[in-house]
Amino acid sequence: MKIEFGNIDELAALSPDVFWQQYVKKSIPVKVSKLFDSWPAIKNWDFNYFKNKAGTQRIQLKKFSSGGGVKVISCQLKDYVNDLECYDRDPNKKHRKLPPYCHDVPFFHLVTDLIDDVRPFATEFLPEWYRAEWWKYAQFFLGPAGSVTPLHFDTLRTHNLFFQIHGIKEFILLPPSAIEYCYRNSWRWFDVNPRNPDFETYPAYRLVKPMRVTVGPGDVLYMPPGMLHYVSTIEKSISFNIDFHTRRSVVNSFQFVLDGMPSKNILYNIIISLGLILKVPPHYLFSYYKSYLNYIS
Ligand SMILES: O=C(O)CCC(=O)C(=O)O
Ligand SMILES: [Fe+2]
């Protein structure tokens, strides 16, 4: 059966005002092409740049397996980059195991120089509470072509701004209402592979209408809370995202206490609520939130 994919809005420009009114408020995903084309990061960032800046930093690598398992490995960044280079050079790589995926790593904390490569940063695309130190909330993804993040939604039920810096990725997006047709195996992970669905094993997935979008250097993708996504790295990539709450999304998140949201998530969302609703300044709260950046859920 051939899979039909819908599109999302793809714009050449987007003002913060339209972003908040037409997309965030209405929970509609959007891609803006080449929004950050002029950042030094677009020219400079590749795997060797990271190795030169932070080769001895220990990083977290992930191996996702079918059935919802994830194995975490830790190593020095330079060893990872060397491993990727060996893999790239190998003419027989088809027969070789894909190297693991450097997934959800807070590189701006590890190498603060990198922050200057993504200025001027459009902080108006974040709620005011996050703006002064937006970089603290960014998580990075570095991986070879073929890396995949299986179908999931973001664990705190946050909004997501995704910045593609180097290489190309494909996102398959499903609305939160598709949850019941995707064969959930834990709080946020699902068994269906929307790129190549096995309709015999997962017949209910026939009812889902997936959307597809590709991102390249300088592109930004916005995903609303609860949107399911399956992410394929088409070309060796460097990307980062910022998961953020609004007052509305953080309040909404508490309804999922009854739906299996882990208690740690509830705690992180309470911390963010203190900022967004009770206006506790971020520098008082960050030390309580920080462990979220290494949280595997
Ligand atoms: O880029 C990826 O592989 C995963 C991205 C993702 O899931 C996210 O930004 O929430
Ligand atoms: Fe995600």
Side-chain angles (χ1 to χ4, degrees):
M1 183 168 149
K2 191 172 172 319
I3 314 158
E4 303 262 327
F5 291 102
N7 298 318
I8 68 166
D9 285 1
E10 295 194 25
L11 310 176
L14 176 63
S15 71
D17 217 36
V18 174
F19 173 66
W20 289 104
Q21 296 307 321
Q22 298 298 321
Y23 293 98
V24 177
K25 248 195 189 156
K26 297 182 181 171
S27 290
I28 296 175
V30 61
K31 165 183 159 180
V32 192
S33 300
K34 312 262 173 239
L35 186 61
F36 296 115
D37 231 9
S38 63
W39 279 351
I42 303 296
K43 258 202 242 122
N44 297 342
W45 286 11
D46 60 18
F47 286 66
N48 270 317
Y49 186 80
F50 275 61
K51 179 174 136 183
N52 291 337
K53 290 257 181 211
T56 55
Q57 286 285 352
R58 287 206 83 77
I59 52 162
Q60 217 174 55
L61 306 175
K62 289 186 190 161
K63 275 190 174 191
F64 295 100
S65 53
S66 51
V70 50
K71 190 170 158 206
V72 180
I73 308 154
S74 143
C75 77
Q76 287 195 337
L77 178 61
K78 62 178 165 46
D79 296 331
Y80 181 56
V81 174
N82 293 343
D83 187 26
L84 290 185
E85 265 172 11
C86 270
Y87 178 79
D88 269 352
R89 278 200 302 266
D90 185 348
N92 289 320
K93 59 164 120 3
K94 274 201 182 119
H95 305 289
R96 215 168 135 159
K97 255 199 185 154
L98 186 71
Y101 193 1
C102 174
H103 193 278
D104 252 347
V105 173
F107 266 106
F108 288 140
H109 288 267
L110 305 181
V111 197
T112 46
D113 281 7
L114 293 175
I115 305 167
D116 288 332
D117 290 339
V118 296
R119 295 190 200 274
F121 193 80
T123 52
E124 312 80 32
F125 288 86
L126 293 171
E128 213 169 325
W129 186 80
Y130 290 89
R131 289 182 190 169
E133 292 186 309
W134 55 269
W135 57 269
K136 286 191 169 174
Y137 303 88
Q139 293 280 56
F140 280 69
F141 304 86
L142 278 70
S147 304
V148 163
T149 302
L151 189 63
H152 69 285
F153 57 77
D154 292 341
T155 191
L156 300 184
R157 306 265 328 184
T158 43
H159 303 258
N160 184 332
L161 269 182
F162 185 90
F163 301 84
Q164 182 68 4
I165 306 294
H166 181 82
I168 296 174
K169 279 183 173 171
E170 177 202 78
F171 281 70
I172 297 178
L173 305 176
L174 313 173
S177 58
I179 281 182
E180 46 189 314
Y181 309 116
C182 293
Y183 300 85
R184 196 172 188 168
N185 60 46
S186 58
W187 157 240
R188 71 179 186 121
W189 297 99
F190 296 80
D191 284 341
V192 169
N193 169 356
R195 223 176 178 215
N196 185 18
D198 173 353
F199 290 113
E200 283 203 356
T201 313
Y202 308 115
Y205 186 71
R206 285 175 205 276
L207 298 170
V208 172
K209 300 212 174 338
M211 296 168 281
R212 181 166 59 178
V213 62
T214 300
V215 289
D219 295 349
V220 175
L221 173 67
Y222 164 72
M223 291 183 285
M227 175 145 271
L228 301 172
H229 44 291
Y230 178 96
V231 188
S232 310
T233 303
I234 309 296
E235 257 179 23
K236 195 172 178 181
S237 277
I238 299 179
S239 342
F240 68 90
N241 74 11
I242 297 186
D243 282 354
F244 68 90
H245 266 307
T246 52
R247 280 202 291 267
R248 194 165 89 163
S249 69
V250 81
V251 169
N252 279 343
S253 75
F254 294 114
Q255 71 184 271
F256 297 98
V257 171
L258 301 173
D259 188 39
M261 183 184 255
S263 49
K264 262 197 177 172
N265 293 29
I266 298 162
L267 209 69
Y268 292 124
N269 281 342
I270 289 173
I271 296 167
I272 297 292
S273 310
L274 296 177
L276 293 173
I277 296 168
L278 298 183
K279 311 234 183 293
V280 178
H283 59 273
Y284 287 120
L285 294 175
F286 192 76
S287 57
Y288 302 100
Y289 183 76
K290 192 167 184 200
S291 59
Y292 173 64
L293 301 175
N294 298 309
Y295 170 46
I296 294 156
S297 72

